[in-house]
Amino acid sequence: MTKFSVNDRPVEYRMDPETPLLWALRDASNLTGTKYGCGTGDCGACTVDIDGEAIRSCLVTIAECEGRFVTTIEGLSRDRSHPVQQAWVAEQVPQCGFCQSGMVMTAAALLRKNSNPGDAEIDAAMTNICRCGTYPRIRAAIRLAGRVLRGEERIAAAPPPGIRPEDAARAIPALRPPPGR
Amino acid sequence: MAGIRDTIDTKGRRLPPVSRRSLLVGATAAGGLALAWSVWPRDYRPNLTAAPDEHVFNAFLKIGDDGHISAIVPQCEMGQGVTTLLPQIMADELGADWRTVAVETAPINALYTNTLVVDEDSAAFMPRTGVPDFVADVRSWARREWAVRHAVMLTANSSSVRMFEAPCRDAAAQARALLMMAAARRWDADWQQCDTQDGFVTLGARKLSFGELAAAAALLELPAEPVYRASSADPLYGKDLTRLDLPAKVDGSANYAGDIRLPDMVYAAIRQGPFGATRLKRIDRKAGLASPGVLSVVEHERWVAAVARNWWAANRALDRFAPEFETGGTPISSDGIDRALAAALKGDGSRIARKGDVEDAMAGRERIAADYLVAPALHAPIETRTATAAPSGDRLRVWVATQAPAQCRDAIARATGLSPAAVTLFPMMAGGSFDACLDHSVAVQAAIIARQVKRPVQLCWSRAEEIMRDMPRAPARAKMTATLNAAGGIDALVARIAVPSTNHEVRARLFDGTPADVAQRDAAGRVDAAAVEGAGGVYAIPHRAVDHCPADIGLPTARWRGNADSYTAFFTECFVDEMAARAGADALSYRMAMLGQAPLLARCLLTATSLGGWEGGLAGTAQGLACHSMRGSHIALMATARASDKGLQVEQLVAVVDAGRLVNPAIARQQVEGGLIFGLAAAVGATTDYEGGLATARKLHQIGLPRLSQTPQILIEFIDSDRDPGGIGEIGVPVVAPAVANAMFAATGRRIRRLPLSAHPL
């Protein structure tokens, strides 16, 4: 009833089948990158990718996810290397950041279908609400990510997580490797 | 780990210097305070925790043996970029390599008191006109001392950089001096000949990294006088550095209060009654506890919380508990609020500011008047109020985003009967806020629930609770009255503003733990100069007056991004536009004629109109102007807006800002952009009606927030400046509504004198 794939791993949630996917992800799987903002599909902070579509995870039950493939912000890339993530940092999009997982997931789904969306297509796809006012940069970042996806441009704006201290020390003269290694 | 030697400067920074001797003299003159001074605590030590290979230099800096630099940020990161800005200032003064800088949130300590905001707030709140200078000095000194004793680490009033630039620079200069002294000892050289660059102390060709020196440096004694780094060829200050918090904000790893996960933790949802003197009357325990997944219920005088294994199950159970509330007095409603505002406007007001003699100037001359009305404005951050609390014995740990951590901790202590020392607060990033995190209800509630269920609890308000229980920025009504000179210029202007005494309410809630309805009642009728801040304006009008007419609207109100300036600028900038139209003058030249004493703002206005292609404000151009100064910054905005079949369409915003020197121009631009869009939201929505003590809106789409498709073209330019930094977080907000309303007049010939603008039929 509630068996499906989350970030390429099979899961079975022993929860009420009517539980919205959002709360299974957050409270059972501890995938807290997906945010609760309204529970009514208005804000889009909970957007995840289900079989290639950007879906508000507060509006689908885990029963409805049976057999499907869910990707959350944690599964979009292992190392922030997705062009949308890189473009988001290059354009300095996030402010408070709370709505941004949903924004990134929505933009990634849009660009997967169309790597060169026009203004109207961007407007139609990006219905998520941001209260900090990151909208103008989102437009620019989607265009930049599109250029990267089309191979016209490369960016390396956000470092991968988990850089080892030894590697950091090799790259940065002011750092020393940790003692005893 | 040693080398702790910090003491606080109770004189406050960036304020007229007051020597301790003059304070004592003043105190004695005021009577009896001199004794108190001698017993007041003077020294505070940093309470930072250091890792075994880390060394505390002062309250703002730790340096590790590996060379990493931990910059301590005593402000709440709520999107404004403070966790990059303050470290950037420190790294610049230190001569650090930016890639070695890490950020830690400050613990609660008097060393981080925001004396600036306390001082500014009090100055507006308690006008000093008529008070002899020396008494005023004592008051401001006593106020700052009070703030220090209470560790008032407020994040508010666009003050982060204005308040903390100097302490951060001093802290970095201290650490730098010690590092250079440690290096000089090794080299047997004069430390003052040393310099720092990219994380190294240098002397000619010799260099030692900060990491190699940190342990020895932290043990040395500071030099008597601060020594600052000479300007660098490639300063970090003023650079468009990428915000440090961005990588974590694009992969979901940035943690907010709701992302804390603890062993054995459960989830709580809450239902609170209407505004006013409300108490919980009854719940259906049996039905509620039968709801699947529910573990327990916590009843409180004013609310009920369901606890379950996941938040959705807890929230669903609340419906089955079917709580009933009882509210005393007249239920709050939009009609009642409007009536209270209108009544206050007719009643006596208090003159907050005066220049010249308006009565004399207006006597026997034609008065032109217009009324304006502004609806309450919701904070509506995307993160709803959330806190995580974990009890262990008679101690409690709480994770929450707060703009006043010491007051949050104290509120939790008061509510639980614990001592403040037994409460450990972990300040989290806020998912928005816009001053919503000055309210600590959710932290207190989470603490009470956790103590009762005796396990870690995460409480998250539903969106409906967030809308219904949000104490909004106050609604306001104004009567603007002017008399004109022969040329049509404004000779006298009176702004009478009916608005609740919000700042009295906020203080009582924040510092005394007064319940919102009680604070609202107590504040009713009291003069609050901060509630009409920004109405004094910058224009050279010979006779001017500003009155506050305290309105008792029943609804508790709160601070909000832009505060009073968000409506006073609407009143002034729309009314000035009306007067210009009346005089048949171009709105630009009409304003410029009155800006002779405000050259910085005049320059912004000229630049904005030239960038935006101002066409003289002729009918049909759809262009509108507004300008405003606040928190040491100036902004001019040119808006292009029209009525379309889809309603109001704002097509373009061209803003020019003078905010002094910019620590990080990229973040400044982001903040102004965000401020403009926040102002746009308030111009077209971000509000709700009230009925029966409750907001009528329950869902986010009902409060009219703009989405990407409604975002206009935005062009922002900063004026190059060496002035001390001005505030940047709020400056974008107040000008949007008046500029758009003025553009709508140019486009349609119709004046819209109320906010939100969309409330008016177009």
Side-chain angles (χ1 to χ4, degrees):
Chain A
M1 270 264 291
T2 56
K3 288 187 193 168
F4 50 97
S5 161
V6 174
N7 296 338
D8 292 330
R9 287 187 185 172
V11 288
E12 177 179 4
Y13 288 107
R14 293 184 188 161
M15 301 172 87
D16 186 331
E18 291 305 301
T19 306
L21 174 62
L22 169 63
W23 300 105
L25 294 173
R26 284 188 60 80
D27 295 353
S29 292
N30 292 340
L31 292 168
T32 55
T34 306
K35 304 297 186 203
Y36 167 77
C38 67
T40 52
D42 291 320
C43 74
C46 67
T47 304
V48 299
D49 183 303
I50 304 181
D51 294 337
E53 300 282 337
I55 305 276
R56 270 40 170 181
S57 66
C58 70
L59 295 182
V60 288
T61 66
I62 51 175
E64 289 166 336
C65 291
E66 174 75 21
R68 300 173 78 179
F69 287 82
V70 175
T71 306
T72 70
I73 185 73
E74 290 90 350
L76 185 65
S77 71
R78 293 165 61 94
D79 49 6
R80 304 178 184 132
S81 61
H82 192 283
V84 171
Q85 291 171 311
Q86 289 292 323
W88 241 243
V89 175
E91 295 287 341
Q92 297 236 44
V93 175
Q95 291 187 33
C96 89
F98 198 80
C99 71
Q100 296 295 329
S101 299
M103 291 282 188
V104 167
M105 294 308 289
T106 311
L110 166 69
L111 288 169
R112 193 173 304 118
K113 287 183 187 159
N114 175 4
S115 67
N116 196 6
D119 281 349
E121 287 159 300
I122 292 176
D123 283 4
M126 303 301 295
T127 56
N128 307 27
I129 295 176
C130 167
R131 194 71 171 114
C132 298
T134 61
Y135 297 134
R137 284 158 194 263
I138 285 174
R139 277 201 187 122
I142 289 176
R143 290 201 192 94
L144 172 57
R147 291 197 296 277
V148 174
L149 279 165
R150 301 195 301 273
E152 298 166 18
E153 209 168 310
R154 296 179 67 165
I155 35 173
I163 295 174
R164 294 185 311 149
E166 299 83 344
D167 295 336
R170 263 194 291 278
I172 299 169
L175 286 180
R176 300 196 297 171
R181 293 193 204 180
Chain B
M1 248 191 288
I4 300 169
R5 58 176 61 74
D6 228 319
T7 57
I8 192 149
D9 172 8
T10 49
K11 286 180 294 190
R13 297 186 182 274
R14 311 201 154 277
L15 293 159
V18 186
S19 72
R20 184 168 173 214
R21 183 180 149 73
S22 73
L23 283 173
L24 285 168
V25 172
T28 313
L33 283 173
L35 177 68
W37 168 268
S38 64
V39 296
W40 283 7
R42 302 284 301 144
D43 292 354
Y44 298 88
R45 296 162 76 82
N47 53 343
L48 298 173
T49 317
D53 55 356
E54 248 184 356
H55 310 279
V56 177
F57 279 75
N58 49 50
F60 289 89
L61 278 168
K62 296 187 291 182
I63 299 178
D65 290 332
D66 62 352
H68 83 262
I69 290 153
S70 282
I72 315 299
V73 175
Q75 294 270 284
C76 177
E77 176 62 79
M78 39 197 197
Q80 81 279 42
V82 68
T83 45
T84 300
L85 294 170
L86 299 186
Q88 188 169 349
I89 293 165
M90 290 189 250
D92 180 68
E93 179 60 40
L94 202 52
D97 185 319
W98 182 241
R99 297 170 295 177
T100 65
V101 175
V103 182
E104 271 183 41
T105 308
I108 294 171
N109 192 311
L111 292 165
Y112 308 113
T113 304
N114 189 337
T115 50
L116 173 65
V117 75
V118 171
D119 219 61
E120 272 184 358
D121 176 48
S122 303
F125 184 70
M126 204 163 45
R128 302 215 186 95
T129 36
V131 181
D133 269 347
F134 73 91
V135 179
D137 271 356
V138 172
R139 278 192 188 171
S140 59
W141 158 73
R143 199 162 43 231
R144 271 176 240 141
E145 193 67 38
W146 169 87
V148 168
R149 283 163 63 87
H150 290 82
V152 180
M153 298 162 60
L154 282 175
T155 305
N157 288 14
S158 312
S159 68
S160 294
V161 168
R162 294 185 298 139
M163 170 66 212
F164 288 105
E165 177 172 322
C168 285
R169 195 166 280 289
D170 284 354
Q174 277 185 8
R176 177 173 174 270
L178 296 173
L179 290 165
M180 293 194 300
M181 288 159 86
R185 285 193 179 191
R186 291 232 210 145
W187 295 328
D188 195 19
D190 175 7
W191 73 270
Q192 303 235 32
Q193 300 302 312
C194 298
D195 198 356
T196 54
Q197 183 70 41
D198 298 330
F200 288 87
V201 175
T202 58
L203 182 67
R206 287 179 287 189
K207 57 194 246 177
L208 282 165
S209 76
F210 291 175
E212 291 169 87
L213 296 164
L219 296 170
L220 298 176
E221 281 302 317
L222 274 177
E225 295 292 321
V227 178
Y228 297 99
R229 189 166 170 238
S231 59
S232 144
D234 184 23
L236 286 171
Y237 194 107
K239 232 184 200 166
D240 283 342
L241 298 175
T242 301
R243 291 173 57 139
L244 293 173
D245 54 351
L246 293 198
K249 286 177 174 176
V250 298
D251 70 357
S253 61
N255 277 341
Y256 306 82
D259 302 330
I260 298 297
R261 291 294 175 268
L262 301 166
D264 201 32
M265 190 176 86
V266 289
Y267 300 87
I270 197 165
R271 188 83 37 101
Q272 305 157 87
F275 281 116
T278 288
R279 65 177 195 93
L280 179 63
K281 204 168 144 194
R282 73 168 69 88
I283 60 167
D284 187 341
R285 274 188 88 84
K286 207 174 149 204
L289 288 172
S291 186
V294 165
L295 299 169
S296 56
V297 63
V298 176
E299 287 180 77
H300 181 267
E301 195 182 297
R302 286 171 180 258
W303 46 262
V304 57
V307 179
R309 294 199 186 279
N310 67 74
W311 184 85
W312 177 77
N315 195 50
R316 178 173 61 170
L318 282 173
D319 285 337
R320 309 201 177 160
F321 281 111
E324 282 178 47
F325 293 92
E326 200 169 53
T327 309
T330 318
I332 294 150
S333 69
S334 290
D335 287 347
I337 291 171
D338 286 350
R339 277 196 302 275
L341 291 173
L345 201 55
K346 288 203 185 78
D348 292 336
S350 289
R351 187 131 297 180
I352 302 298
R354 73 179 84 223
K355 197 184 115 195
D357 185 342
V358 285
E359 277 77 19
D360 190 49
M362 287 185 162
R365 299 171 68 180
E366 188 197 359
R367 297 176 187 207
I368 303 137
D371 272 26
Y372 295 86
L373 183 62
V374 174
L378 297 169
H379 298 87
I382 303 303
E383 178 190 37
T384 60
R385 305 302 82 220
T386 304
T388 304
S392 58
D394 52 2
R395 296 191 61 83
L396 189 66
R397 290 175 297 159
V398 180
W399 290 258
V400 69
T402 165
Q403 293 174 244
Q407 285 61 50
C408 183
R409 178 199 58 187
D410 293 351
I412 293 165
R414 254 194 311 268
T416 53
L418 294 170
S419 77
V423 178
T424 307
L425 189 80
F426 299 94
M428 303 298 291
M429 285 195 296
S433 179
F434 318 112
D435 281 0
C437 293
L438 284 168
D439 182 70
H440 300 130
S441 308
V442 73
V444 169
Q445 293 160 347
I448 292 172
I449 299 165
R451 297 262 294 165
Q452 195 145 332
V453 302
K454 298 188 171 55
R455 60 200 285 189
V457 166
Q458 183 162 96
L459 171 65
C460 170
W461 286 14
S462 69
R463 174 55 62 181
E465 286 293 314
E466 179 81 20
I467 294 174
M468 288 193 292
R469 299 297 306 181
D470 183 41
M471 292 177 272
R473 196 240 25 235
R477 188 178 185 103
K479 181 176 281 300
M480 305 293 285
T481 311
T483 53
L484 306 182
N485 60 29
I490 303 175
D491 183 49
L493 177 65
V494 178
R496 271 176 76 72
I497 300 170
V499 65
S501 310
T502 301
N503 295 282
H504 288 284
E505 292 183 48
V506 172
R507 279 162 180 239
R509 293 198 301 260
L510 191 56
F511 295 113
D512 307 329
T514 313
D517 57 311
V518 178
Q520 192 277 328
R521 274 202 311 277
D522 292 351
R526 295 176 69 183
V527 185
D528 178 1
V532 296
E533 213 174 347
V538 288
Y539 294 120
I541 294 169
H543 308 281
R544 276 206 86 143
V546 178
D547 294 346
H548 175 218
C549 308
D552 180 6
I553 62 167
L555 177 70
T557 53
R559 283 171 171 266
W560 185 84
R561 187 180 189 175
N563 287 308
D565 295 73
S566 63
Y567 45 83
T568 56
F570 177 66
F571 304 148
T572 307
E573 285 302 298
C574 288
F575 192 64
V576 164
D577 221 69
E578 293 200 35
M579 295 306 102
R582 201 183 164 89
D586 168 15
L588 170 62
S589 49
Y590 195 79
R591 282 180 172 82
M592 288 302 294
M594 296 189 289
L595 285 176
Q597 287 149 32
L600 299 180
L601 185 59
R603 184 170 174 201
C604 290
L605 192 56
L606 281 179
T607 314
T609 45
S610 112
L611 269 177
W614 176 249
E615 291 166 14
L618 303 172
T621 58
Q623 295 178 339
L625 296 180
C627 57
H628 193 66
S629 300
M630 68 184 294
R631 317 266 187 247
S633 292
H634 311 277
I635 187 167
L637 179 69
M638 196 189 114
T640 309
R642 294 171 213 277
S644 78
D645 50 354
K646 285 181 280 178
L648 169 62
Q649 287 286 111
V650 181
E651 293 171 1
Q652 193 185 49
L653 298 174
V654 179
V656 174
V657 179
D658 182 337
R661 59 172 189 269
L662 304 172
V663 179
N664 182 320
I667 291 176
R669 186 171 295 274
Q670 212 186 15
Q671 279 298 291
V672 173
E673 246 170 50
L676 292 173
I677 292 171
F678 198 81
L680 177 67
V684 301
T687 190
T688 174
D689 284 333
Y690 293 87
E691 202 52 66
L694 291 171
T696 56
R698 299 285 192 283
K699 296 180 178 174
L700 210 48
H701 74 261
Q702 293 167 327
I703 64 172
L705 299 175
R707 295 174 196 259
L708 181 71
S709 59
Q710 286 127 302
T711 306
Q713 287 287 330
I714 293 180
L715 185 67
I716 296 166
E717 184 115 332
F718 286 94
I719 303 277
D720 269 339
S721 169
D722 290 330
R723 281 192 308 124
D724 278 347
I728 203 87
E730 295 166 291
I731 190 71
V733 178
V735 281
V736 180
V740 171
N742 293 337
M744 290 297 287
F745 174 74
T748 65
R750 203 127 118 230
R751 286 283 170 200
I752 311 177
R753 297 197 181 92
R754 61 190 299 166
L755 289 183
L757 300 166
S758 53
H760 195 279
L762 292 170

